[in-house]
Short mmCIF file of all heavy atoms in Angstrom, two decimals:
data_model
loop_
_atom_site.label_atom_id
_atom_site.label_comp_id
_atom_site.label_asym_id
_atom_site.label_seq_id
_atom_site.Cartn_x
_atom_site.Cartn_y
_atom_site.Cartn_z
N MET D 1201 1.21 -29.39 89.01
CA MET D 1201 0.39 -28.17 89.13
C MET D 1201 -0.98 -28.40 88.51
O MET D 1201 -2.01 -28.01 89.09
CB MET D 1201 1.09 -27.00 88.43
CG MET D 1201 0.26 -25.71 88.44
SD MET D 1201 0.91 -24.45 87.32
CE MET D 1201 0.62 -25.23 85.72
N THR D 1202 -1.02 -29.03 87.33
CA THR D 1202 -2.28 -29.28 86.65
C THR D 1202 -3.15 -30.25 87.44
O THR D 1202 -4.37 -30.07 87.56
CB THR D 1202 -2.03 -29.81 85.23
OG1 THR D 1202 -1.19 -28.89 84.51
CG2 THR D 1202 -3.34 -29.98 84.47
N GLU D 1203 -2.53 -31.29 87.99
CA GLU D 1203 -3.29 -32.26 88.79
C GLU D 1203 -3.86 -31.59 90.03
O GLU D 1203 -4.99 -31.89 90.46
CB GLU D 1203 -2.40 -33.44 89.17
CG GLU D 1203 -2.08 -34.34 87.98
CD GLU D 1203 -1.32 -35.58 88.39
OE1 GLU D 1203 -0.80 -35.61 89.53
OE2 GLU D 1203 -1.22 -36.51 87.57
N ASP D 1204 -3.10 -30.68 90.62
CA ASP D 1204 -3.59 -29.94 91.78
C ASP D 1204 -4.78 -29.07 91.39
O ASP D 1204 -5.77 -28.98 92.13
CB ASP D 1204 -2.46 -29.08 92.35
CG ASP D 1204 -2.87 -28.36 93.61
OD1 ASP D 1204 -3.39 -29.02 94.54
OD2 ASP D 1204 -2.69 -27.13 93.68
N ASN D 1205 -4.71 -28.43 90.21
CA ASN D 1205 -5.82 -27.61 89.73
C ASN D 1205 -7.06 -28.46 89.45
O ASN D 1205 -8.19 -28.05 89.74
CB ASN D 1205 -5.43 -26.86 88.45
CG ASN D 1205 -4.48 -25.70 88.72
OD1 ASN D 1205 -4.42 -25.19 89.84
ND2 ASN D 1205 -3.71 -25.30 87.71
N ILE D 1206 -6.83 -29.66 88.90
CA ILE D 1206 -7.95 -30.55 88.61
C ILE D 1206 -8.65 -30.96 89.90
O ILE D 1206 -9.88 -30.99 89.99
CB ILE D 1206 -7.47 -31.79 87.83
CG1 ILE D 1206 -7.02 -31.38 86.41
CG2 ILE D 1206 -8.58 -32.84 87.74
CD1 ILE D 1206 -6.39 -32.50 85.62
N SER D 1207 -7.85 -31.27 90.93
CA SER D 1207 -8.43 -31.67 92.23
C SER D 1207 -9.23 -30.54 92.86
O SER D 1207 -10.16 -30.78 93.63
CB SER D 1207 -7.31 -32.12 93.17
OG SER D 1207 -6.47 -31.03 93.50
N LYS D 1208 -8.90 -29.30 92.52
CA LYS D 1208 -9.62 -28.14 93.05
C LYS D 1208 -10.83 -27.78 92.18
O LYS D 1208 -11.54 -26.81 92.48
CB LYS D 1208 -8.69 -26.93 93.14
CG LYS D 1208 -7.55 -27.09 94.14
CD LYS D 1208 -6.63 -25.87 94.08
CE LYS D 1208 -5.46 -26.00 95.05
NZ LYS D 1208 -4.54 -24.83 94.95
N GLY D 1209 -11.02 -28.53 91.10
CA GLY D 1209 -12.12 -28.21 90.18
C GLY D 1209 -11.81 -27.05 89.27
O GLY D 1209 -12.74 -26.44 88.71
N ASP D 1210 -10.52 -26.75 89.11
CA ASP D 1210 -10.10 -25.62 88.27
C ASP D 1210 -9.01 -26.12 87.31
O ASP D 1210 -7.85 -25.68 87.37
CB ASP D 1210 -9.55 -24.50 89.16
CG ASP D 1210 -9.30 -23.21 88.39
OD1 ASP D 1210 -9.80 -23.09 87.26
OD2 ASP D 1210 -8.58 -22.34 88.92
N PRO D 1211 -9.36 -27.03 86.37
CA PRO D 1211 -8.34 -27.70 85.55
C PRO D 1211 -7.55 -26.77 84.65
O PRO D 1211 -6.41 -27.07 84.28
CB PRO D 1211 -9.16 -28.70 84.72
CG PRO D 1211 -10.54 -28.14 84.70
CD PRO D 1211 -10.71 -27.48 86.03
N PHE D 1212 -8.12 -25.65 84.29
CA PHE D 1212 -7.43 -24.72 83.38
C PHE D 1212 -7.08 -23.42 84.09
O PHE D 1212 -7.04 -22.34 83.49
CB PHE D 1212 -8.30 -24.45 82.15
CG PHE D 1212 -8.78 -25.72 81.47
CD1 PHE D 1212 -10.10 -26.13 81.60
CD2 PHE D 1212 -7.89 -26.50 80.75
CE1 PHE D 1212 -10.54 -27.30 81.00
CE2 PHE D 1212 -8.32 -27.67 80.14
CZ PHE D 1212 -9.63 -28.08 80.27
N GLY D 1213 -6.83 -23.55 85.37
CA GLY D 1213 -6.51 -22.38 86.18
C GLY D 1213 -5.23 -21.69 85.79
O GLY D 1213 -5.04 -20.51 86.09
N VAL D 1214 -4.35 -22.41 85.09
CA VAL D 1214 -3.08 -21.81 84.67
C VAL D 1214 -3.30 -20.58 83.79
O VAL D 1214 -2.46 -19.68 83.74
CB VAL D 1214 -2.23 -22.86 83.91
CG1 VAL D 1214 -2.89 -23.26 82.60
CG2 VAL D 1214 -0.82 -22.34 83.66
N TYR D 1215 -4.48 -20.54 83.13
CA TYR D 1215 -4.76 -19.40 82.24
C TYR D 1215 -5.36 -18.21 82.99
O TYR D 1215 -5.49 -17.13 82.41
CB TYR D 1215 -5.74 -19.83 81.13
CG TYR D 1215 -5.16 -20.87 80.21
CD1 TYR D 1215 -5.54 -22.21 80.32
CD2 TYR D 1215 -4.23 -20.53 79.23
CE1 TYR D 1215 -5.02 -23.17 79.46
CE2 TYR D 1215 -3.70 -21.48 78.38
CZ TYR D 1215 -4.09 -22.80 78.51
OH TYR D 1215 -3.54 -23.75 77.67
N ARG D 1216 -5.73 -18.41 84.25
CA ARG D 1216 -6.43 -17.33 84.98
C ARG D 1216 -5.56 -16.67 86.03
O ARG D 1216 -5.96 -15.66 86.59
CB ARG D 1216 -7.68 -17.90 85.66
CG ARG D 1216 -8.73 -18.40 84.69
CD ARG D 1216 -10.09 -18.43 85.35
NE ARG D 1216 -10.09 -19.29 86.55
CZ ARG D 1216 -10.91 -19.13 87.57
NH1 ARG D 1216 -11.74 -18.12 87.59
NH2 ARG D 1216 -10.88 -19.96 88.59
N HIS D 1217 -4.42 -17.23 86.34
CA HIS D 1217 -3.62 -16.75 87.46
C HIS D 1217 -2.56 -15.73 87.07
O HIS D 1217 -1.65 -15.46 87.83
CB HIS D 1217 -2.96 -17.95 88.17
CG HIS D 1217 -3.98 -18.89 88.75
ND1 HIS D 1217 -3.70 -20.21 89.02
CD2 HIS D 1217 -5.28 -18.70 89.10
CE1 HIS D 1217 -4.78 -20.79 89.53
NE2 HIS D 1217 -5.75 -19.89 89.58
N THR D 1218 -2.69 -15.18 85.87
CA THR D 1218 -1.75 -14.17 85.41
C THR D 1218 -2.53 -12.99 84.85
O THR D 1218 -3.60 -13.18 84.26
CB THR D 1218 -0.83 -14.74 84.30
OG1 THR D 1218 -0.20 -15.92 84.78
CG2 THR D 1218 0.24 -13.74 83.90
N ASN D 1219 -2.03 -11.79 85.03
CA ASN D 1219 -2.66 -10.60 84.48
C ASN D 1219 -2.84 -10.76 82.97
O ASN D 1219 -1.91 -11.16 82.26
CB ASN D 1219 -1.81 -9.37 84.78
CG ASN D 1219 -2.37 -8.11 84.17
OD1 ASN D 1219 -2.04 -7.76 83.04
ND2 ASN D 1219 -3.24 -7.43 84.91
N ALA D 1220 -4.04 -10.46 82.47
CA ALA D 1220 -4.37 -10.71 81.07
C ALA D 1220 -3.45 -9.97 80.11
O ALA D 1220 -2.96 -10.54 79.12
CB ALA D 1220 -5.83 -10.32 80.81
N LEU D 1221 -3.18 -8.70 80.40
CA LEU D 1221 -2.34 -7.91 79.49
C LEU D 1221 -0.91 -8.42 79.50
O LEU D 1221 -0.27 -8.54 78.44
CB LEU D 1221 -2.38 -6.43 79.90
CG LEU D 1221 -1.62 -5.47 78.97
CD1 LEU D 1221 -2.20 -5.54 77.56
CD2 LEU D 1221 -1.72 -4.04 79.51
N ASN D 1222 -0.38 -8.71 80.68
CA ASN D 1222 0.99 -9.25 80.76
C ASN D 1222 1.08 -10.61 80.07
O ASN D 1222 2.08 -10.91 79.39
CB ASN D 1222 1.40 -9.40 82.22
CG ASN D 1222 1.58 -8.07 82.92
OD1 ASN D 1222 1.75 -7.05 82.26
ND2 ASN D 1222 1.52 -8.05 84.24
N MET D 1223 0.04 -11.42 80.24
CA MET D 1223 0.02 -12.73 79.61
C MET D 1223 0.00 -12.59 78.08
O MET D 1223 0.72 -13.30 77.37
CB MET D 1223 -1.23 -13.50 80.07
CG MET D 1223 -1.26 -14.95 79.66
SD MET D 1223 -2.70 -15.80 80.37
CE MET D 1223 -2.41 -17.46 79.79
N PHE D 1224 -0.81 -11.66 77.58
CA PHE D 1224 -0.88 -11.40 76.14
C PHE D 1224 0.49 -11.01 75.59
O PHE D 1224 0.95 -11.54 74.58
CB PHE D 1224 -1.90 -10.31 75.85
CG PHE D 1224 -1.74 -9.66 74.50
CD1 PHE D 1224 -2.08 -10.35 73.34
CD2 PHE D 1224 -1.24 -8.37 74.39
CE1 PHE D 1224 -1.93 -9.76 72.10
CE2 PHE D 1224 -1.08 -7.77 73.16
CZ PHE D 1224 -1.43 -8.47 72.00
N ALA D 1225 1.14 -10.05 76.24
CA ALA D 1225 2.44 -9.56 75.77
C ALA D 1225 3.49 -10.67 75.79
O ALA D 1225 4.24 -10.85 74.81
CB ALA D 1225 2.89 -8.37 76.62
N TYR D 1226 3.53 -11.41 76.89
CA TYR D 1226 4.53 -12.48 77.01
C TYR D 1226 4.31 -13.57 75.96
O TYR D 1226 5.25 -14.00 75.28
CB TYR D 1226 4.49 -13.09 78.41
CG TYR D 1226 5.36 -14.33 78.53
CD1 TYR D 1226 6.74 -14.21 78.67
CD2 TYR D 1226 4.79 -15.60 78.47
CE1 TYR D 1226 7.54 -15.35 78.76
CE2 TYR D 1226 5.58 -16.73 78.56
CZ TYR D 1226 6.95 -16.60 78.70
OH TYR D 1226 7.74 -17.73 78.77
N ILE D 1227 3.06 -14.00 75.82
CA ILE D 1227 2.76 -15.09 74.88
C ILE D 1227 3.02 -14.64 73.45
O ILE D 1227 3.57 -15.40 72.63
CB ILE D 1227 1.30 -15.54 75.04
CG1 ILE D 1227 1.13 -16.24 76.39
CG2 ILE D 1227 0.88 -16.47 73.91
CD1 ILE D 1227 -0.31 -16.56 76.74
N ALA D 1228 2.64 -13.41 73.11
CA ALA D 1228 2.86 -12.92 71.75
C ALA D 1228 4.33 -12.91 71.39
O ALA D 1228 4.75 -13.42 70.34
CB ALA D 1228 2.26 -11.51 71.60
N LEU D 1229 5.15 -12.33 72.27
CA LEU D 1229 6.59 -12.27 72.01
C LEU D 1229 7.21 -13.66 71.97
O LEU D 1229 8.05 -13.96 71.12
CB LEU D 1229 7.27 -11.41 73.07
CG LEU D 1229 6.92 -9.91 73.05
CD1 LEU D 1229 7.55 -9.20 74.24
CD2 LEU D 1229 7.40 -9.27 71.74
N ASN D 1230 6.80 -14.51 72.91
CA ASN D 1230 7.36 -15.85 72.97
C ASN D 1230 7.01 -16.67 71.73
O ASN D 1230 7.87 -17.35 71.15
CB ASN D 1230 6.86 -16.57 74.22
CG ASN D 1230 7.47 -17.95 74.39
OD1 ASN D 1230 8.68 -18.09 74.59
ND2 ASN D 1230 6.65 -18.99 74.31
N ASN D 1231 5.76 -16.59 71.30
CA ASN D 1231 5.34 -17.36 70.13
C ASN D 1231 5.97 -16.86 68.84
O ASN D 1231 6.32 -17.65 67.96
CB ASN D 1231 3.81 -17.34 70.00
CG ASN D 1231 3.13 -18.20 71.05
OD1 ASN D 1231 3.76 -19.05 71.68
ND2 ASN D 1231 1.84 -17.99 71.23
N ILE D 1232 6.11 -15.55 68.73
CA ILE D 1232 6.79 -14.99 67.55
C ILE D 1232 8.25 -15.44 67.53
O ILE D 1232 8.80 -15.82 66.49
CB ILE D 1232 6.68 -13.45 67.54
CG1 ILE D 1232 5.23 -13.03 67.27
CG2 ILE D 1232 7.61 -12.84 66.48
CD1 ILE D 1232 4.98 -11.55 67.42
N TYR D 1233 8.89 -15.42 68.72
CA TYR D 1233 10.28 -15.86 68.82
C TYR D 1233 10.41 -17.33 68.42
O TYR D 1233 11.30 -17.71 67.64
CB TYR D 1233 10.78 -15.66 70.25
CG TYR D 1233 12.11 -16.32 70.53
CD1 TYR D 1233 13.30 -15.76 70.07
CD2 TYR D 1233 12.18 -17.52 71.23
CE1 TYR D 1233 14.53 -16.37 70.31
CE2 TYR D 1233 13.39 -18.14 71.47
CZ TYR D 1233 14.56 -17.56 71.00
OH TYR D 1233 15.75 -18.19 71.24
N ILE D 1234 9.53 -18.18 68.95
CA ILE D 1234 9.59 -19.61 68.64
C ILE D 1234 9.36 -19.86 67.16
O ILE D 1234 10.06 -20.67 66.52
CB ILE D 1234 8.55 -20.39 69.48
CG1 ILE D 1234 8.97 -20.38 70.96
CG2 ILE D 1234 8.41 -21.82 68.98
CD1 ILE D 1234 7.94 -20.99 71.88
N SER D 1235 8.39 -19.16 66.58
CA SER D 1235 8.08 -19.34 65.16
C SER D 1235 9.28 -18.97 64.28
O SER D 1235 9.61 -19.70 63.34
CB SER D 1235 6.86 -18.51 64.77
OG SER D 1235 5.71 -18.98 65.44
#
Side-chain angles (χ1 to χ4, degrees):
M1201 176 193 67
T1202 304
E1203 289 185 346
D1204 184 51
N1205 286 338
I1206 292 174
S1207 66
K1208 295 176 181 178
D1210 189 15
F1212 308 106
V1214 66
Y1215 295 103
R1216 295 202 302 153
H1217 298 157
T1218 306
N1219 177 270
L1221 185 60
N1222 292 340
M1223 189 175 183
F1224 161 72
Y1226 172 78
I1227 291 172
L1229 293 174
N1230 184 65
N1231 287 343
I1232 291 172
Y1233 169 77
I1234 291 174
S1235 295

